[in-house]
Amino acid sequence: MKKIIAYVSLIISILCGCSPEAYDSGNTAAVPAESAGLTVSYIDVGQADSILITSPDGKNMLIDAGEGEGRSGAVLDYLRERNITELDTVIATHPHSDHINAMDDVLDNIAVDKFYLPNASHTTRDFENMLDAAENANEVIQAKAGMSFNLGESVGCDILAPVSDSYDDLNNYSVVVKMVYGSTSFLFTGDAEKEVEKEILQSAADVSADVLKCGHHGSSTSTSADFLAAVDPDYAVISCGRDNDYGHPHKETLQKLEKNGTEVLRTDEMGTITLVSNGSEIVSVPPADTAEKPVQENTVGNTDEKIYVGNKNSKVYHTKDCSALPKEENRVYLTPEEAETNGYTPHKACIK
Ligand SMILES: [Zn+2]
Ligand SMILES: [Zn+2]
């Protein structure tokens, strides 16, 4: 397992050789240029899922397209901000609207080569719109466990689910993908629930990953103890909306992650989360407007004022007595002002 390490030194080394324009600090969607490595952005689409992946050689993959309701165009806007005009691979994990509502917008406006979806159907207008728009893709592929594809020259993807031909719950048709670049790996699970997690484990697939996108927005229906133990991620990403109606992520899931020593990154707390892998390390890229103002460790001065404990990787800060403090080596001590000016996000459980 590779650790997500302090972004400051790594971003500097990653950016070596890039032109200065490669990192557009005025653009909140900005990420390092192609040569920086594999970029994975868990886009803040509220109570929904959408993940954009760019390979080191500039091939793009989109997993799900979020919900259009009330956030119409969020994914398309994001793709345009990132100057994405072609998507090598698009995956619609399953037919629920929080994953495919805006997929027709994507297929109608961006050139899509391969479009993967499971053998599941739904009676909604959203689903029909997506199927109509799928005609724009070069190739439509029914996803099934055992299939593999590459994203560019150096990134490999294995489809681990759906394993069975039919399920009672649409969530369980979710296309589950493990992506590997060098010695780093990411697992994307859609809304797959425990039943599917068990099937994947029984299939003897290698599920171990550095970063797990928790199934079903952190619901207790997913991230079973056995599955979590097998994946054993350093980081878990939960894509959910602030104060959502479902209570996601559920506390059972958070407790399991804490017990496993997995650090949680949440879109409801942090907005869009971008992780970059250079093939051996994974770093979290802070929002661009805070990228050039790293907090110094062991800051001298009046330490009594430093009432918060920040995590220098995830940029979430806690009260000193919070039960979910970051690992010792990732801590940085902050005044309220430093937390704010350096773009740290309050941990919802301890800071009201
Ligand atoms: Zn679903
Ligand atoms: Zn969902």
Side-chain angles (χ1 to χ4, degrees):
M1 284 287 157
K2 298 291 166 195
K3 299 287 172 209
I4 294 181
I5 66 165
Y7 68 84
V8 182
S9 60
L10 227 102
I11 288 299
I12 291 164
S13 65
I14 280 171
L15 288 175
C16 275
C18 299
S19 63
E21 301 76 53
Y23 200 96
D24 175 9
S25 62
N27 181 348
T28 52
V31 293
E34 305 179 348
S35 55
L38 171 68
T39 303
V40 183
S41 294
Y42 302 83
I43 306 167
D44 177 15
V45 283
Q47 181 63 21
D49 262 23
S50 185
I51 304 161
L52 176 69
I53 297 144
T54 301
S55 71
D57 49 359
K59 299 291 183 194
N60 300 303
M61 168 156 78
L62 184 74
I63 301 178
D64 289 333
E67 176 82 61
E69 303 296 333
R71 300 178 71 89
S72 188
V75 171
L76 205 51
D77 286 349
Y78 185 84
L79 294 174
R80 284 175 170 152
E81 274 178 67
R82 289 273 299 269
N83 298 317
I84 305 287
T85 55
E86 288 176 26
L87 288 161
D88 197 62
T89 304
V90 172
I91 298 173
T93 60
H94 68 293
H96 280 147
S97 68
D98 56 322
H99 297 253
I100 58 134
N101 184 297
M103 195 60 95
D104 56 338
D105 291 343
V106 172
L107 288 157
D108 285 341
N109 290 283
I110 309 261
V112 173
D113 188 18
K114 297 183 200 67
F115 180 43
Y116 287 86
L117 68 177
N119 183 25
S121 63
H122 206 9
T123 52
T124 59
R125 181 100 208 172
D126 292 335
F127 183 71
E128 283 169 19
N129 288 343
M130 179 180 78
L131 287 190
D132 289 344
E135 290 173 12
N136 297 328
N138 257 345
E139 203 180 339
V140 178
I141 302 166
Q142 201 176 96
K144 197 86 178 62
M147 298 172 83
S148 298
F149 60 91
N150 284 350
L151 184 67
E153 295 283 306
S154 52
V155 179
C157 297
D158 290 323
I159 297 178
L160 308 186
V163 177
S164 299
D165 292 328
S166 68
Y167 296 95
D168 290 338
D169 192 319
L170 275 179
N171 283 342
N172 285 332
Y173 284 92
S174 288
V175 180
V176 174
V177 176
K178 178 172 168 178
M179 179 173 76
V180 176
Y181 173 50
S183 62
T184 62
S185 51
F186 296 76
L187 190 59
F188 306 102
T189 56
D191 279 353
E193 301 186 356
K194 291 174 178 174
E195 177 184 342
V196 170
E197 293 175 352
K198 197 170 170 189
E199 280 187 322
I200 294 172
L201 292 179
Q202 284 168 347
S203 75
D206 175 9
V207 295
S208 65
D210 299 310
V211 184
L212 168 68
K213 201 274 325 175
C214 284
H216 200 192
H217 319 281
S219 165
S220 59
T221 58
S222 306
T223 318
S224 59
D226 286 350
F227 191 69
L228 180 62
V231 179
D232 194 20
D234 290 322
Y235 283 77
V237 176
I238 296 176
S239 186
C240 64
R242 198 175 275 266
D243 301 322
N244 65 76
D245 296 341
Y246 309 93
H248 292 160
H250 287 152
K251 68 173 186 309
E252 296 92 322
T253 305
L254 295 176
Q255 283 165 352
K256 277 184 239 172
L257 292 166
E258 190 182 350
K259 203 171 152 206
N260 194 62
T262 300
E263 185 161 336
V264 176
L265 309 173
R266 296 168 51 167
T267 58
D268 60 335
E269 293 181 342
M270 301 171 67
T272 295
I273 295 162
T274 295
L275 304 177
V276 179
S277 165
N278 64 2
S280 56
E281 305 279 5
I282 297 169
V283 295
S284 171
V285 178
D289 58 348
T290 62
E292 286 163 23
K293 294 182 286 181
V295 177
Q296 296 300 313
E297 268 184 282
N298 306 320
T299 316
V300 286
N302 186 351
T303 50
D304 293 346
E305 290 173 16
K306 298 187 185 299
I307 60 168
Y308 293 130
V309 182
N311 181 321
K312 64 188 180 186
N313 297 331
S314 65
K315 307 215 92 190
V316 173
Y317 68 96
H318 310 253
T319 57
K320 281 177 176 168
D321 57 358
C322 177
S323 60
L325 288 178
K327 288 172 191 159
E328 202 77 54
E329 67 263 30
N330 294 332
R331 288 182 193 180
V332 58
Y333 294 89
L334 302 157
T335 64
E337 195 184 46
E338 283 169 341
E340 195 181 316
T341 56
N342 289 287
Y344 277 69
T345 313
H347 181 226
K348 246 167 110 185
C350 66
I351 297 167
K352 306 291 172 212

